Amino acid sequence: MAFHSYKGGTGKTSLVVNLGALFAKQGANVCLLDYDFRAPSLNVLFKAKPQYWLNDYLEGKCEIVDTLVDQSARFKLPGKLWVGFSNPSLEALKDIMGKDRKWEVKALTKTLAGKKEIIKDKQVDYLIYDTSPGAQYSSINALAGADLVSLVMKADEFDLEGTKELSKGVYEALGRKSGIVLNKIPLEQIAAGGGAESFGKQIESDVGLPLVGLIPCMCELMAMGGKTIYTIEKPDHTFSKSIGQIAEKLKKM
Amino acid sequence: MSSKADAAIIDLLRKLNRNVEIVSRKLERLIEVERSAGGHALRPSVSVPENMPLDVTTLLGLPDHLRKSALALASLGEATATDLSKETSRVRAVESDYLNQLVAMSLVKKKRKGRDVYFYIES
């Protein structure tokens, strides 16, 4: 599955990490891939220095499984939690921005081949891509590799209009199953919309996709987002419970 | 005319009849393919600018039926029309036609290996 958004700052990375950790905590084998090559962030949370980056795989310097680092022992998880990181160095960011369309063709075929390789070699139950916002090449490559796309959005008008375009022009065109995760929603906005259920239904109807989850805005998360994996460290927290509900919905999709 | 010559003519007519039946069956199959593809299979394809690589932006600009084939081919790497038809759940003849449309648009290449024709995306 892939987590994507029209705009940045919608909370994709927090969702990906917490969801992946929850699946691994439940005993599943999980692989997270940081496909946000323009603003890598999984390396910050996991404090990782891998031997190979995902950038190296796309350049043909290694196999995709060589990029994966197992985090399950560190967090005492019963299932495996493999993570593939993208290179955050300025050199790598400049390099990725200079790629031409021919290179992107190779990146697409390698993304699709890499997915098969990970599933076969690591026997993962869930492969989750964290992507760049908007219609970036790397993101759409990841969406092409995913069977299920979760569109993460806040509920402002800018997000809503762009999200509708993405849904029609990309997700539908690629024929991927997709759903919306509403994140960072102020409680006042939920109340004004007639409560969570009614508010969710309104967004579903506006975007034309089913609602997978609704997470209220929590200031604490803004401060701790890059430091804490809530589903491991604070399983009773409201955010962890919301992730649990999203996990159950995604399993049924 | 001798009975030997008669037998030879009858044999020739039988062979001709068999060939006509084969051609007829193939024509029927073509019509069936055209129908099942909703009229796409035998028509000229959409045009794309020259030297356009088959990246995601080109992919998103393709009509649905060709996009499905192209995406499946990108996933398989190199494949025959039979391999593709298993991936897309469409009949082989339809898949073969779509792949050849993509070849004609210079988005996909093909090569022969023995009796099989393999399609691939050049990157």
Side-chain angles (χ1 to χ4, degrees):
Chain A
M1 56 182 87
F3 281 75
H4 189 228
S5 65
Y6 171 64
K7 283 171 67 181
T10 56
K12 291 182 296 298
T13 303
S14 292
L15 280 168
V16 163
V17 170
N18 280 280
L19 186 70
L22 178 65
F23 282 142
K25 198 176 162 187
Q26 291 171 347
N29 292 332
V30 181
C31 177
L32 310 180
L33 296 182
D34 191 349
Y35 253 62
D36 191 350
F37 291 101
R38 285 169 185 250
S41 42
L42 287 188
N43 59 300
V44 177
L45 200 127
F46 289 105
K47 298 178 184 69
K49 283 188 182 164
Q51 190 186 352
Y52 291 106
W53 305 97
L54 285 168
N55 312 54
D56 297 321
Y57 167 65
L58 294 181
E59 289 290 357
K61 293 178 184 166
C62 65
E63 299 299 321
I64 195 158
V65 289
D66 298 333
T67 68
L68 304 181
V69 183
D70 182 16
Q71 300 284 336
S72 53
R74 184 178 154 202
F75 295 104
K76 299 185 179 73
L77 297 167
K80 292 283 185 194
L81 182 61
W82 301 99
V83 187
F85 301 94
S86 63
N87 191 340
S89 73
L90 188 60
E91 208 52 45
L93 298 179
K94 271 174 11 192
D95 184 56
I96 213 90
M97 286 193 298
K99 296 298 184 192
D100 63 10
R101 293 185 68 174
K102 203 156 186 194
W103 187 88
E104 296 296 349
V105 178
K106 195 172 80 176
L108 172 65
T109 52
K110 285 193 83 79
T111 298
L112 298 175
K115 166 193 163 185
K116 285 187 178 172
E117 194 56 34
I118 290 172
I119 292 169
K120 189 175 148 208
D121 196 89
K122 300 296 183 194
Q123 293 174 351
V124 300
D125 302 294
Y126 299 100
L127 172 59
I128 309 176
Y129 296 94
D130 185 18
T131 67
S132 299
Q136 305 280 353
Y137 267 110
S138 60
S139 301
I140 305 177
N141 285 345
L143 300 181
D147 301 311
L148 177 64
V149 179
S150 287
L151 180 56
V152 186
M153 61 181 286
K154 296 185 283 181
D156 58 59
E157 283 298 317
F158 302 115
D159 230 14
L160 201 59
E161 285 307 311
T163 299
K164 277 190 213 172
E165 284 298 312
L166 272 182
S167 165
K168 229 176 5 185
V170 181
Y171 308 155
E172 269 183 37
L174 290 172
R176 300 294 177 251
K177 270 191 242 171
S178 40
I180 322 161
V181 175
L182 287 173
N183 195 16
K184 303 184 181 179
I185 309 297
L187 290 170
E188 298 79 10
Q189 199 174 5
I190 298 174
E197 199 177 331
S198 161
F199 180 72
K201 281 208 167 108
Q202 183 58 48
I203 300 283
E204 273 185 338
S205 142
D206 285 344
V207 181
L209 292 175
L211 186 70
V212 176
L214 190 153
I215 306 172
C217 189
M218 287 169 255
C219 297
E220 175 196 344
L221 287 177
M222 312 265 185
M224 301 300 287
K227 297 172 194 154
T228 308
I229 302 179
Y230 277 73
T231 49
I232 295 176
E233 295 166 47
K234 299 180 177 184
D236 295 324
H237 194 279
T238 310
F239 180 67
S240 302
K241 287 181 178 167
S242 299
I243 295 289
Q245 288 163 1
I246 290 170
E248 290 313 308
K249 277 212 172 173
L250 290 173
K251 284 179 193 172
K252 289 176 191 157
M253 281 180 85
Chain B
M1 205 180 284
S2 71
S3 61
K4 205 172 174 184
D6 285 348
I9 289 170
I10 289 167
D11 190 43
L12 187 66
L13 285 171
R14 277 188 184 139
K15 275 183 188 162
L16 274 172
N17 192 39
R18 270 202 302 274
N19 285 342
V20 168
E21 275 175 10
I22 290 168
V23 171
S24 172
R25 273 203 302 273
K26 285 192 172 172
L27 274 174
E28 279 170 10
R29 183 78 186 122
L30 271 175
I31 292 164
E32 187 189 317
V33 164
E34 170 70 357
R35 278 194 194 128
S36 67
H40 292 302
L42 305 177
R43 282 188 202 162
S45 187
V46 287
S47 63
V48 291
E50 259 182 63
N51 301 321
M52 191 62 79
L54 187 51
D55 62 1
V56 282
T57 51
T58 308
L59 204 66
L60 290 172
L62 289 173
D64 291 351
H65 62 289
L66 293 183
R67 187 186 311 114
K68 192 171 178 179
S69 298
L71 202 51
L73 184 61
S75 174
L76 290 178
E78 188 179 286
T80 63
T82 307
D83 299 333
L84 251 287
S85 68
K86 285 176 193 158
E87 191 83 2
T88 60
S89 306
R90 298 191 288 213
V91 294
R92 199 207 73 88
V94 169
E95 215 47 76
S96 171
D97 183 74
Y98 292 169
L99 285 166
N100 280 305
Q101 285 190 34
L102 290 166
V103 171
M105 294 157 82
S106 304
L107 295 174
V108 162
K109 297 218 176 268
K110 67 175 175 181
K111 62 185 173 191
R112 187 171 277 281
K113 278 189 195 171
R115 295 183 62 189
D116 296 319
V117 175
Y118 281 84
F119 297 86
Y120 62 99
I121 296 166
E122 197 173 48
S123 55

